[in-house]
């Protein structure tokens, strides 16, 4: 009886050790790709088809710095004619943004998707043209007059901070589709005289409290440079 | 994950203060305010009975009313506006001249026009005895800009 117990015990040790060693053999090391990802904002050309007086191009890119951290940059230009009740103006200019993304998504082995949060600093150089305006008068005793001054306000700048939230999905090998929403907060703008920066390229519509919202839909390609275990 | 939550909270805070700026609530182009005083006792307000007011070539602003003050718009297409003020029997005309200045207000309100260097280029004195300009800049509607003594 005692001998049987010893036998069973040694068998169980043997079995457990073989299982353990087998597990070790099974685990495959999946290397993480590090590289530069470059892409284009697809939302801008789509919007320009449906909205008159809107033109724009946006390029996005990021570099994976650490496993979950990406240095991100964006640049582009916008041309937009805004029509308000008493105003019509055109904004034209370019922007650059830089910051980082933190990927909060825990991928399964072999997957490279992201659900991220990020911060950006934005800088824009632009011109505003006041195409026309109608002075706001209560009542219509005199026929309202519309003026077309075509006043140009040149060399305007704006700086802001964005907090963004988005995701990227690897659809084909190294090809990513991404979507993000950003909440923008103006730091400072060089305001035109007797007018206001109501639209800023890269920032979009400037709301009353100097806040803004951004949205983009990107298609980007990862150029892998190195592969690391971590 | 902690950072993630912090960032979400910050972004919500950054965005929560949004206001609707589609409705114009600010003051826009001001009207000209005229008060009527007694010519014999200049400190005393004196209402005009059966007063009709209209701009030259336009419909009536006021028709046969008893008023001690009137609020009338100025023409933005010209640098002068000719107003006709008539009582039951007599009619007077006042030609206001001014320079216009358009001041930006907001997205929803656009521009308002303020009037500077308000002057009375000419006037008749059938029932109006005297006119004084209290404020030659019309940029608000808080007080009378013109006093008419009759």
């Amino acid at each position: 009886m005692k001998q049987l117990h010893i036998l069973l015990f040694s068998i169980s040790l043997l079995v457990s050790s073989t299982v353990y060693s087998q597990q070790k053999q099974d685990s495959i090391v999946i290397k993480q790709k590090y590289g530069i990802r470059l892409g284009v904002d697809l939302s801008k050309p789509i919007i320009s088809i449906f909205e008159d007086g809107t033109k724009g191009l946006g390029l996005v890119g990021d570099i994976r710095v650490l496993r979950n951290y990406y240095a991100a940059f964006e640049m582009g230009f916008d041309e937009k004619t805004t029509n308000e009740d008493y105003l019509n103006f055109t904004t034209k200019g370019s922007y650059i943004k830089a910051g980082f993304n933190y990927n909060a998504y825990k991928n399964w082995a072999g997957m490279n998707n992201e659900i991220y949060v990020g911060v950006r600093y934005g800088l824009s150089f632009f011109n505003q043209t006041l195409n026309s305006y109608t002075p706001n008068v209560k009542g219509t005793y005199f026929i309202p007059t519309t003026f077309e001054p075509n006043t140009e306000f040149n060399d305007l700048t704006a700086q802001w901070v964005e907090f963004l939230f988005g995701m990227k999905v690897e659809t084909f090998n190294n090809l990513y589709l991404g979507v993000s929403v950003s909440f923008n907060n103006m730091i400072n703008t060089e305001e035109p005289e007797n007018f206001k920066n109501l639209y800023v390229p890269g920032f979009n519509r400037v709301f009353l409290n100097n806040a803004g919202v951004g949205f983009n839909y990107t298609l980007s390609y990862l150029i892998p440079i190195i592969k690391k275990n971590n | 994950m902690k950072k993630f939550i912090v960032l979400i909270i910050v972004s919500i805070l950054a965005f929560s203060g949004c206001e609707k700026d589609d409705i114009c609530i600010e003051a826009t182009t001001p009207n000209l305010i005229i008060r009527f005083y007694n010519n014999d006792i200049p400190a005393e307000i004196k209402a005009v009975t059966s007063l009709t007011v209209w701009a030259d070539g336009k419909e009536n602003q006021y028709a046969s009313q008893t008023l001690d003050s009137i609020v009338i718009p100025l023409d933005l297409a010209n640098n002068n506006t000719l107003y006709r003020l008539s009582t039951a029997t007599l009619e007077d005309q006042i030609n206001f001249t001014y320079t216009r200045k358009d001041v930006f207000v907001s997205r929803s309100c656009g521009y308002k026009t303020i009037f500077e260097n308000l002057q009375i280029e000419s006037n008749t004195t059938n029932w109006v005895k005297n006119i004084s300009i209290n404020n030659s800049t019309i940029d608000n509607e808080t007080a009378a800009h013109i006093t008419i003594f009759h």
Side-chain angles (χ1 to χ4, degrees):
Chain A
M1 196 61 194
K2 201 182 175 187
Q3 276 173 331
L4 182 70
H5 272 150
I6 290 166
L7 185 69
L8 279 174
F9 178 71
S10 47
I11 286 168
S12 73
L13 267 182
L14 200 72
V15 166
S16 67
S17 69
T18 48
V19 166
Y20 182 67
S21 65
Q22 222 158 15
Q23 267 179 347
K24 222 177 180 182
Q25 269 172 2
D26 272 358
S27 72
I28 301 156
V29 176
I30 290 168
K31 297 208 168 189
Q32 298 285 329
K33 289 178 198 167
Y34 284 70
I36 298 177
R37 188 160 42 189
L38 296 171
V40 63
D41 185 354
L42 299 176
S43 68
K44 282 185 198 283
I46 292 166
I47 289 167
S48 67
I49 292 167
F50 293 105
E51 227 176 284
D52 274 356
T54 307
K55 261 194 273 182
L57 178 73
L59 300 173
V60 296
D62 58 48
I63 299 167
R64 192 172 186 180
V65 182
L66 297 168
R67 190 188 168 101
N68 288 321
Y69 289 89
Y70 297 78
F73 43 88
E74 290 171 43
M75 60 187 289
F77 77 87
D78 273 324
E79 185 182 330
K80 187 180 163 66
T81 299
T82 308
N83 196 25
E84 295 288 342
D85 290 349
Y86 296 95
L87 289 172
N88 183 297
F89 65 95
T90 302
T91 311
K92 218 190 260 188
S94 51
Y95 64 87
I96 48 168
K97 298 177 196 176
F100 72 89
N101 290 344
Y102 169 74
N103 181 17
Y105 185 68
K106 301 279 177 282
N107 277 298
W108 288 6
M111 284 171 72
N112 291 304
N113 301 325
E114 285 172 49
I115 293 176
Y116 62 90
V117 287
V119 184
R120 300 278 188 281
Y121 162 79
L123 176 65
S124 179
F125 300 94
F126 55 98
N127 299 337
Q128 306 270 22
T129 307
L130 179 65
N131 303 318
S132 67
Y133 69 92
T134 310
N136 191 334
V137 183
K138 286 161 282 177
T140 50
Y141 190 65
F142 293 103
I143 297 149
T145 38
T146 300
F147 298 100
E148 289 180 11
N150 292 315
T151 319
E152 279 189 40
F153 304 98
N154 295 325
D155 306 320
L156 302 168
T157 57
Q159 294 177 72
W160 68 93
V161 175
E162 291 184 11
F163 300 98
L164 57 134
F165 173 79
M167 53 182 164
K168 283 196 177 81
V169 179
E170 191 177 24
T171 43
F172 293 101
N173 189 30
N174 294 335
L175 193 71
Y176 290 80
L177 272 178
V179 59
S180 76
V181 182
S182 67
F183 303 103
N184 314 336
N185 235 318
M186 197 67 85
I187 303 169
N188 78 64
T189 52
E190 203 182 295
E191 296 286 358
E193 204 188 317
N194 200 20
F195 190 44
K196 195 172 184 287
N197 290 329
L198 300 172
Y199 188 94
V200 171
F203 185 95
N204 304 330
R205 181 185 165 129
V206 183
F207 285 87
L208 212 57
N209 58 352
N210 284 334
V213 199
F215 170 82
N216 73 12
Y217 186 73
T218 58
L219 180 69
S220 44
Y221 186 78
L222 172 70
I223 305 160
I225 294 169
I226 49 167
K227 286 182 181 179
K228 280 203 284 191
N229 286 343
N230 208 348
Chain B
M1 204 60 200
K2 221 181 225 173
K3 282 174 197 153
F4 180 80
I5 291 160
V6 167
L7 274 172
I8 284 193
I9 290 167
V10 167
S11 59
I12 288 167
L13 282 176
F15 193 55
S16 61
C18 262
E19 293 162 53
K20 188 153 173 65
D21 53 355
D22 285 337
I23 303 157
C24 175
I25 47 166
E26 290 97 334
T28 55
T29 302
N31 289 317
L32 180 70
I33 302 174
I34 300 175
R35 293 214 89 175
F36 298 104
Y37 279 79
N38 191 336
N39 194 43
D40 301 324
I41 314 157
E44 191 186 277
I45 293 164
K46 188 184 169 191
V48 185
T49 45
S50 187
L51 179 69
T52 303
V53 180
W54 71 99
D56 197 35
K58 291 273 179 186
E59 68 272 30
N60 289 342
Q61 271 279 333
Y62 296 94
S64 302
Q65 284 175 272
T66 300
L67 300 159
D68 63 3
S69 66
I70 55 171
V71 179
I72 52 175
L74 295 173
D75 192 355
L76 300 186
N78 295 298
N79 283 332
N80 77 299
T81 310
L82 180 68
Y83 263 101
R84 293 175 187 273
L85 292 81
S86 93
T87 60
T89 50
L90 297 165
E91 184 189 308
D92 268 317
Q93 47 179 277
I94 308 171
N95 191 5
F96 298 101
T97 62
Y98 42 83
T99 51
R100 286 168 287 137
K101 193 173 149 190
D102 296 331
V103 181
F104 182 76
V105 182
S106 68
R107 178 193 293 274
S108 50
C109 295
Y111 281 82
K112 68 173 180 182
T113 301
I114 63 166
F115 306 94
E116 292 175 331
N117 306 317
L118 178 74
Q119 284 173 348
I120 290 156
E121 199 190 59
S122 64
N123 69 287
T124 58
T125 50
N126 296 321
W127 64 271
V128 171
K129 297 290 175 253
N130 203 358
I131 303 172
S132 80
I133 297 168
N134 307 339
N135 195 344
S136 65
T137 302
I138 303 160
D139 58 359
N140 62 62
E141 289 182 345
T142 52
H145 310 104
I146 299 273
T147 307
I148 289 180
F149 298 95
H150 68 105

